Amino acid sequence: EADIYQTPRYLVIGTGKKITLECSQTMGHDKMYWYQQDPGMELHLIHYSYGVNSTEKGDLSSESTVSRIRTEHFPLTLESARPSHTSQYLCASSELGGVGQYFGPGTRLTVT
Amino acid sequence: QQQVKQSPQSLIVQKGGIPIINCAYENTAFDYFPWYQQFPGKGPALLIAIRPDVSEKKEGRFTISFNKSAKQFSLHIMDSQPGDSATYFCAARGLSNSGYALNFGKGTSLLVTP
């Protein structure tokens, strides 16, 4: 069954730690995205990728970085977590010429 | 600057009622308008979508009404059920510094009571 996976689902971590949020999809989609979602707020695009070795920053400034070494995998890394990074992070994917985006279940990150 | 404005923020209806969620936009270059449904602990799921050359689209109990001249679109849920209780996001696709990107509304929390 084609799907999009995110791990971990929940993460509580101390300030200054390095973390990597994993995202994988089995749909063969070229385009992948990372969004940040806070309660009562719209989803904000922080990173996207058109395919392998392609990564771009989104409209919302973020201190995180991403990589795209394999089509199906799009991890997000925070080198030094801060309390301001506390949020829900959503990964999504779509076909290169498609309009519909398919979302993973999200990772809820809390930085203490 | 928020590109898509969504209202109301929250909505409570009785089972069988017809909740209506409204969205407005300014950018006439937007070319695709999806609605997403999100349950607690889950990611948003594409529910229904419309292009600006169509005034209405219906899929099951969900209907999008689109008014291009008013730059508004709305989601209607017919015969609403408690299982429809979720947060609903409207979005609009347009060209930005990020290429084609979805601009989301802030969401509407819908509660359907038995």
Side-chain angles (χ1 to χ4, degrees):
Chain A
E1 179 180 322
D3 213 336
I4 182 163
Y5 305 93
Q6 288 186 246
T7 58
R9 294 294 314 280
Y10 303 93
L11 180 62
V12 180
I13 201 163
T15 297
K17 300 290 187 183
K18 177 180 178 179
I19 57 170
T20 296
L21 308 184
E22 301 287 348
C23 175
S24 294
Q25 50 97 2
T26 59
M27 295 173 278
H29 287 166
D30 288 306
K31 204 164 178 183
M32 295 188 74
Y33 316 77
W34 277 102
Y35 289 89
Q36 191 169 332
Q37 181 183 30
D38 293 311
M41 298 297 292
E42 63 268 43
L43 281 69
H44 288 289
L45 181 68
I46 53 175
H47 296 283
Y48 64 101
S49 165
Y50 284 111
V52 171
N53 294 327
S54 153
T55 61
E56 304 288 344
K57 287 189 179 291
D59 291 326
L60 182 68
S61 174
S62 173
E63 294 165 344
S64 57
T65 59
V66 292
S67 62
R68 189 90 182 273
I69 299 172
R70 302 196 318 264
T71 298
E72 63 272 19
H73 193 215
F74 191 40
L76 180 146
T77 298
L78 276 166
E79 291 293 334
S80 179
R82 295 209 300 268
S84 60
H85 296 139
T86 294
S87 187
Q88 166 136 290
Y89 293 84
L90 289 162
C91 181
S93 71
S94 70
E95 296 176 353
L96 195 58
V99 291
Q101 293 184 19
Y102 298 86
F103 284 84
T107 293
R108 183 159 295 283
L109 172 66
T110 301
V111 183
T112 60
Chain B
Q1 179 187 355
Q2 192 182 6
Q3 300 262 21
V4 179
K5 295 186 178 178
Q6 182 172 347
S7 63
Q9 187 176 352
S10 62
L11 189 55
I12 301 174
V13 299
Q14 284 192 324
K15 178 183 173 181
I18 306 176
I20 301 172
I21 304 171
N22 301 297
C23 286
Y25 64 96
E26 286 298 322
N27 188 344
T28 55
F30 287 153
D31 64 353
Y32 171 75
F33 301 86
W35 284 90
Y36 284 84
Q37 180 188 55
Q38 185 177 26
F39 292 106
K42 305 282 188 182
L46 181 62
L47 188 63
I48 186 172
I50 198 167
R51 293 200 183 267
D53 54 346
V54 177
S55 61
E56 184 177 278
K57 184 173 181 180
K58 189 176 296 186
E59 287 185 4
R61 296 184 294 108
F62 300 92
T63 299
I64 300 178
S65 296
F66 190 86
N67 187 329
K68 189 173 181 178
S69 61
K71 291 185 282 188
Q72 295 175 347
F73 59 110
S74 58
L75 177 70
H76 302 234
I77 305 175
M78 306 301 175
D79 186 28
S80 59
Q81 301 296 313
D84 296 329
S85 298
T87 299
Y88 292 82
F89 292 92
C90 63
R93 189 185 84 141
L95 194 58
S96 71
N97 294 333
S98 309
Y100 278 106
L102 287 177
N103 302 274
F104 286 87
K106 291 189 175 184
T108 295
S109 178
L110 171 66
L111 177 63
V112 181
T113 60

